[in-house]
Amino acid sequence: MAEFVLANVRPWGHDAADITISAGKIDAIRPHDPSQRADLDGQGRLALPGLINSHAHVDKSWWCSPWQSYGGELSTVGRIAHERENRDRLGIPGVEATTAVLQQFLRHGTTAVRTHVDVDLGLGLRGIGIVREAFERIGCLRYEIVAFAQDGVMRRPGVMQLLDQAAAAGVAHIGGLDPASIDRDPVAQIDGLFDIAARHGCGIDIHLHDPGELGAFQIELIIDRTARLGLGGKINIAHGFAVGQVDPARQRDLSQAMGELDISMTTVAPIGYAPLPMALLDDADVAVGLGTDGIRDLWSPYGDGDLLKVALNFAVLNRARHDEELAAVVRRATTDAARFIGAQSHDLVAGAVADIVLIDAENPMDALVRTPAREVVIASGVVHDYRS
């Protein structure tokens, strides 16, 4: 890949600079020099690192189909049943729809994704291949896959074996959903997942919607197994509503225990739920990533793939007002989320992957509160110009 010069941009809102990109990485960042050659003039736009979607379900969308009215029961079990009843009719999972979702991510400035992909007795491991093909079509997005047993592990004999096969075949993570309320056997599901992770060296990314003390009990099981098997740094709890619902002392204890073992969390900043206790989690050094969840799927018609809007919801839910608080939310959606796609770093610095988003905004805080269009998105050094 030839050397490329992105000129006259303001990294993180600082002074104008020229960024040289070579072989998909940032080669150098220098003060802007109007006399030097420029392949792309950023016209003084704000430059941010690419957004990282830490919790997505790119395999589930009906994006390429006509509008689908939701017809299932409004419960986790009801949504699962509705999806299973209708997904084959809509060709879910499908390469075209998955590619369309990824294109929306890219248009909104997302350059890296951790996505859950359904693994069950009806699909087997087919969805993983479909998702990988879609990413290959796009070609420039970095990604990690979670083999996701949404419809149960213990209550569906044979699913644990599918997760084992997915781990053996090299997926980055495996995961289930609500070991207590879905499988009715939290110890068995969690022990099974941890056994696979320990044998294959993969991570675990588990959905946990169960509320209050029931959810906290399962988090304690996860903490215990993480310590016992030495899997610190490889475990993520998605949603984890219970952490925000138990009493303050329990919140502190759970946060500290997760922080000591480097257990991370991901959230989609949902409206109507108690927010995570971010002050406690941050003090305990618990990494918390942001994600879009599903996009126009059989669970919900909502979602357009814009992670910056999710970050704005997160800021509002957590009552961020000061500049440093708002800027920290932008970092949470970009630089601080590197771990969720297996990267050591993700920033506008020499040596980093060239994932850069140009926005007509004064600074990161302005970009967050207005969520203006992402005008140019560079992913792994590949330029996507959306200004026309």
Side-chain angles (χ1 to χ4, degrees):
M1 186 180 295
E3 185 178 273
F4 180 90
V5 178
L6 170 63
N8 192 19
V9 297
R10 293 180 297 109
W12 289 103
H14 300 311
D15 293 341
D18 299 333
I19 301 176
T20 303
I21 298 168
S22 180
K25 292 189 175 183
I26 296 174
D27 185 58
I29 301 178
R30 300 182 178 90
H32 174 51
D33 183 351
S35 68
Q36 295 300 307
R37 173 184 67 88
D39 295 289
L40 178 62
D41 184 357
Q43 299 177 322
R45 295 293 193 259
L46 171 70
L48 295 174
L51 299 163
I52 295 177
N53 191 333
S54 303
H55 182 98
H57 293 271
V58 303
D59 60 322
K60 292 178 174 292
S61 183
W62 46 260
W63 195 282
C64 294
S65 300
W67 180 265
Q68 299 297 310
S69 301
Y70 182 73
E73 296 180 6
L74 295 178
S75 66
T76 299
V77 172
R79 290 182 175 97
I80 292 172
H82 178 67
E83 181 182 68
R84 295 299 183 268
E85 182 179 351
N86 290 278
R87 67 184 180 184
D88 289 345
R89 172 177 62 86
L90 294 169
I92 297 172
V95 174
E96 296 299 330
T98 303
T99 302
V101 170
L102 296 179
Q103 288 170 334
Q104 289 299 311
F105 285 175
L106 190 58
R107 174 176 288 275
H108 292 305
T110 288
T111 58
V113 184
R114 178 186 287 192
T115 184
H116 298 255
V117 179
D118 281 9
V119 168
D120 58 47
L121 300 177
L123 288 171
L125 303 181
R126 182 167 61 90
I128 294 174
I130 287 170
V131 168
R132 283 181 170 147
E133 182 177 345
F135 274 106
E136 288 170 3
R137 282 192 179 188
I138 300 296
C140 57
L141 293 173
R142 291 183 287 162
Y143 68 98
E144 286 191 345
I145 287 177
V146 183
F148 176 44
Q150 176 176 259
D151 195 27
V153 179
M154 306 313 300
R155 72 172 183 159
R156 304 296 187 197
V159 169
M160 190 74 78
Q161 288 73 24
L162 287 173
L163 293 174
D164 191 281
Q165 292 170 25
V171 297
H173 313 273
I174 59 169
L177 181 147
D178 296 340
S181 61
I182 294 296
D183 270 336
R184 305 287 181 173
D185 195 344
V187 172
Q189 187 194 120
I190 291 170
D191 281 350
L193 295 177
F194 272 84
D195 173 67
I196 293 172
R199 286 189 290 106
H200 293 290
C202 65
I204 294 174
D205 193 330
I206 187 168
H207 283 57
L208 190 56
H209 307 98
D210 287 338
E213 285 299 328
L214 179 61
F217 165 67
Q218 293 168 85
I219 292 171
E220 288 173 339
L221 291 177
I222 292 168
I223 290 168
D224 175 77
R225 273 48 171 189
T226 302
R228 187 186 306 174
L229 295 174
L231 293 178
K234 291 189 173 184
I235 310 302
N236 183 71
I237 298 171
H239 305 305
F241 301 136
V243 181
Q245 295 168 338
V246 294
D247 65 73
R250 292 277 276 142
Q251 291 181 356
R252 183 186 62 252
D253 291 345
L254 291 171
S255 299
Q256 289 177 350
M258 287 190 288
E260 289 171 1
L261 292 168
D262 197 16
I263 296 172
S264 60
M265 298 190 72
T266 45
T267 182
V268 300
I271 298 171
Y273 290 85
L276 295 174
M278 290 309 306
L280 291 173
L281 291 167
D282 287 343
D283 285 347
D285 292 327
V286 177
V288 178
L290 304 178
T292 56
D293 220 351
I295 305 294
R296 285 199 177 193
D297 59 25
L298 291 166
W299 279 55
S300 166
Y302 293 107
D304 64 359
D306 191 345
L307 188 70
L308 195 57
K309 290 181 182 177
V310 175
L312 176 59
N313 284 344
F314 179 88
V316 172
L317 285 172
N318 288 279
R319 301 181 179 181
R321 286 178 173 80
H322 297 100
D323 283 0
E324 60 270 22
E325 295 169 334
L326 298 170
V329 174
V330 177
R331 288 195 300 272
R332 188 179 300 278
T334 57
T335 300
D336 292 349
R339 64 178 290 149
F340 294 103
I341 45 94
Q344 294 296 315
S345 64
H346 180 77
D347 205 347
L348 302 181
V349 295
V353 173
D355 285 357
I356 306 169
V357 180
L358 299 189
I359 305 175
D360 186 6
E362 183 178 351
N363 51 44
M365 299 77 75
D366 180 37
L368 177 66
V369 300
R370 288 195 299 112
T371 63
R374 302 336 92 84
E375 296 187 336
V376 175
V377 179
I378 301 175
S380 298
V382 179
V383 177
H384 303 265
D385 193 335
Y386 299 112
R387 290 176 294 183
S388 59

mmCIF file of all heavy atoms in Angstrom, residues 11-30:
data_model
loop_
_atom_site.group_PDB
_atom_site.id
_atom_site.type_symbol
_atom_site.label_atom_id
_atom_site.label_comp_id
_atom_site.label_asym_id
_atom_site.label_seq_id
_atom_site.Cartn_x
_atom_site.Cartn_y
_atom_site.Cartn_z
ATOM 1 N N PRO A 11 -6.075 16.275 15.365
ATOM 2 C CA PRO A 11 -6.215 15.073 16.199
ATOM 3 C C PRO A 11 -6.719 15.419 17.591
ATOM 4 O O PRO A 11 -6.125 16.240 18.297
ATOM 5 C CB PRO A 11 -4.793 14.503 16.239
ATOM 6 C CG PRO A 11 -4.123 15.050 15.018
ATOM 7 C CD PRO A 11 -4.703 16.417 14.836
ATOM 8 N N TRP A 12 -7.838 14.820 17.973
ATOM 9 C CA TRP A 12 -8.452 15.063 19.284
ATOM 10 C C TRP A 12 -8.760 16.547 19.526
ATOM 11 O O TRP A 12 -8.888 16.980 20.670
ATOM 12 C CB TRP A 12 -7.596 14.511 20.408
ATOM 13 C CG TRP A 12 -7.576 13.013 20.485
ATOM 14 C CD1 TRP A 12 -6.580 12.175 20.081
ATOM 15 C CD2 TRP A 12 -8.624 12.174 20.998
ATOM 16 N NE1 TRP A 12 -6.937 10.860 20.300
ATOM 17 C CE2 TRP A 12 -8.187 10.831 20.871
ATOM 18 C CE3 TRP A 12 -9.884 12.412 21.554
ATOM 19 C CZ2 TRP A 12 -8.960 9.746 21.284
ATOM 20 C CZ3 TRP A 12 -10.655 11.337 21.956
ATOM 21 C CH2 TRP A 12 -10.190 10.017 21.815
ATOM 22 N N GLY A 13 -8.852 17.333 18.454
ATOM 23 C CA GLY A 13 -9.173 18.747 18.598
ATOM 24 C C GLY A 13 -7.977 19.635 18.827
ATOM 25 O O GLY A 13 -8.138 20.842 19.072
ATOM 26 N N HIS A 14 -6.767 19.084 18.749
ATOM 27 C CA HIS A 14 -5.561 19.876 18.974
ATOM 28 C C HIS A 14 -5.167 20.627 17.703
ATOM 29 O O HIS A 14 -5.941 20.727 16.752
ATOM 30 C CB HIS A 14 -4.432 18.970 19.466
ATOM 31 C CG HIS A 14 -4.751 18.272 20.764
ATOM 32 N ND1 HIS A 14 -5.240 18.928 21.868
ATOM 33 C CD2 HIS A 14 -4.643 16.961 21.125
ATOM 34 C CE1 HIS A 14 -5.434 18.070 22.860
ATOM 35 N NE2 HIS A 14 -5.080 16.864 22.425
ATOM 36 N N ASP A 15 -3.950 21.138 17.661
ATOM 37 C CA ASP A 15 -3.487 21.929 16.523
ATOM 38 C C ASP A 15 -3.501 21.113 15.239
ATOM 39 O O ASP A 15 -3.377 19.871 15.257
ATOM 40 C CB ASP A 15 -2.079 22.449 16.779
ATOM 41 C CG ASP A 15 -2.033 23.468 17.914
ATOM 42 O OD1 ASP A 15 -3.093 24.035 18.246
ATOM 43 O OD2 ASP A 15 -0.945 23.670 18.483
ATOM 44 N N ALA A 16 -3.626 21.814 14.116
ATOM 45 C CA ALA A 16 -3.674 21.167 12.811
ATOM 46 C C ALA A 16 -2.409 20.354 12.567
ATOM 47 O O ALA A 16 -1.294 20.782 12.884
ATOM 48 C CB ALA A 16 -3.855 22.210 11.714
ATOM 49 N N ALA A 17 -2.601 19.183 11.963
ATOM 50 C CA ALA A 17 -1.488 18.259 11.738
ATOM 51 C C ALA A 17 -1.674 17.546 10.406
ATOM 52 O O ALA A 17 -2.766 17.518 9.836
ATOM 53 C CB ALA A 17 -1.404 17.235 12.871
ATOM 54 N N ASP A 18 -0.577 16.984 9.916
ATOM 55 C CA ASP A 18 -0.584 16.130 8.736
ATOM 56 C C ASP A 18 -0.240 14.715 9.185
ATOM 57 O O ASP A 18 0.736 14.507 9.924
ATOM 58 C CB ASP A 18 0.443 16.599 7.705
ATOM 59 C CG ASP A 18 0.165 18.014 7.211
ATOM 60 O OD1 ASP A 18 -1.014 18.428 7.245
ATOM 61 O OD2 ASP A 18 1.134 18.696 6.806
ATOM 62 N N ILE A 19 -1.032 13.746 8.739
ATOM 63 C CA ILE A 19 -0.841 12.352 9.134
ATOM 64 C C ILE A 19 -0.411 11.557 7.917
ATOM 65 O O ILE A 19 -1.118 11.522 6.899
ATOM 66 C CB ILE A 19 -2.133 11.755 9.730
ATOM 67 C CG1 ILE A 19 -2.586 12.556 10.951
ATOM 68 C CG2 ILE A 19 -1.935 10.288 10.091
ATOM 69 C CD1 ILE A 19 -3.898 12.090 11.554
ATOM 70 N N THR A 20 0.743 10.929 8.026
ATOM 71 C CA THR A 20 1.242 10.069 6.958
ATOM 72 C C THR A 20 0.882 8.626 7.274
ATOM 73 O O THR A 20 1.154 8.133 8.373
ATOM 74 C CB THR A 20 2.769 10.207 6.803
ATOM 75 O OG1 THR A 20 3.099 11.575 6.564
ATOM 76 C CG2 THR A 20 3.269 9.357 5.642
ATOM 77 N N ILE A 21 0.259 7.964 6.299
ATOM 78 C CA ILE A 21 -0.206 6.586 6.460
ATOM 79 C C ILE A 21 0.533 5.708 5.474
ATOM 80 O O ILE A 21 0.662 6.032 4.288
ATOM 81 C CB ILE A 21 -1.728 6.502 6.216
ATOM 82 C CG1 ILE A 21 -2.471 7.345 7.257
ATOM 83 C CG2 ILE A 21 -2.217 5.060 6.234
ATOM 84 C CD1 ILE A 21 -3.930 7.568 6.944
ATOM 85 N N SER A 22 1.035 4.589 5.956
ATOM 86 C CA SER A 22 1.762 3.653 5.107
ATOM 87 C C SER A 22 1.442 2.232 5.537
ATOM 88 O O SER A 22 1.458 1.933 6.734
ATOM 89 C CB SER A 22 3.275 3.909 5.196
ATOM 90 O OG SER A 22 3.994 3.005 4.389
ATOM 91 N N ALA A 23 1.120 1.371 4.571
ATOM 92 C CA ALA A 23 0.831 -0.042 4.840
ATOM 93 C C ALA A 23 -0.262 -0.212 5.891
ATOM 94 O O ALA A 23 -0.207 -1.103 6.729
ATOM 95 C CB ALA A 23 2.096 -0.780 5.261
ATOM 96 N N GLY A 24 -1.258 0.672 5.850
ATOM 97 C CA GLY A 24 -2.394 0.558 6.740
ATOM 98 C C GLY A 24 -2.165 1.061 8.146
ATOM 99 O O GLY A 24 -3.042 0.923 9.003
ATOM 100 N N LYS A 25 -0.993 1.668 8.391
ATOM 101 C CA LYS A 25 -0.698 2.180 9.729
ATOM 102 C C LYS A 25 -0.290 3.642 9.667
ATOM 103 O O LYS A 25 0.108 4.152 8.616
ATOM 104 C CB LYS A 25 0.413 1.351 10.385
ATOM 105 C CG LYS A 25 0.004 -0.074 10.711
ATOM 106 C CD LYS A 25 1.068 -0.773 11.544
ATOM 107 C CE LYS A 25 0.601 -2.158 11.971
ATOM 108 N NZ LYS A 25 1.596 -2.827 12.842
ATOM 109 N N ILE A 26 -0.401 4.302 10.805
ATOM 110 C CA ILE A 26 0.057 5.688 10.901
ATOM 111 C C ILE A 26 1.578 5.681 10.975
ATOM 112 O O ILE A 26 2.160 5.102 11.900
ATOM 113 C CB ILE A 26 -0.545 6.381 12.133
ATOM 114 C CG1 ILE A 26 -2.069 6.473 11.995
ATOM 115 C CG2 ILE A 26 0.066 7.767 12.317
ATOM 116 C CD1 ILE A 26 -2.768 7.009 13.225
ATOM 117 N N ASP A 27 2.189 6.316 10.007
ATOM 118 C CA ASP A 27 3.653 6.341 9.955
ATOM 119 C C ASP A 27 4.204 7.536 10.740
ATOM 120 O O ASP A 27 5.212 7.418 11.436
ATOM 121 C CB ASP A 27 4.111 6.415 8.500
ATOM 122 C CG ASP A 27 5.611 6.313 8.366
ATOM 123 O OD1 ASP A 27 6.176 5.302 8.817
ATOM 124 O OD2 ASP A 27 6.236 7.258 7.830
ATOM 125 N N ALA A 28 3.520 8.679 10.632
ATOM 126 C CA ALA A 28 4.003 9.869 11.330
ATOM 127 C C ALA A 28 2.877 10.888 11.438
ATOM 128 O O ALA A 28 1.955 10.913 10.609
ATOM 129 C CB ALA A 28 5.197 10.488 10.589
ATOM 130 N N ILE A 29 2.953 11.723 12.470
ATOM 131 C CA ILE A 29 2.035 12.858 12.642
ATOM 132 C C ILE A 29 2.895 14.088 12.877
ATOM 133 O O ILE A 29 3.686 14.132 13.828
ATOM 134 C CB ILE A 29 1.070 12.637 13.820
ATOM 135 C CG1 ILE A 29 0.239 11.361 13.616
ATOM 136 C CG2 ILE A 29 0.149 13.850 13.981
ATOM 137 C CD1 ILE A 29 -0.698 11.053 14.754
ATOM 138 N N ARG A 30 2.748 15.073 12.002
ATOM 139 C CA ARG A 30 3.577 16.279 12.075
ATOM 140 C C ARG A 30 2.698 17.515 12.050
ATOM 141 O O ARG A 30 1.571 17.475 11.553
ATOM 142 C CB ARG A 30 4.550 16.317 10.887
ATOM 143 C CG ARG A 30 5.506 15.124 10.811
ATOM 144 C CD ARG A 30 6.449 15.276 9.633
ATOM 145 N NE ARG A 30 7.412 14.176 9.545
ATOM 146 C CZ ARG A 30 7.186 13.045 8.863
ATOM 147 N NH1 ARG A 30 6.042 12.896 8.213
ATOM 148 N NH2 ARG A 30 8.100 12.100 8.836
#
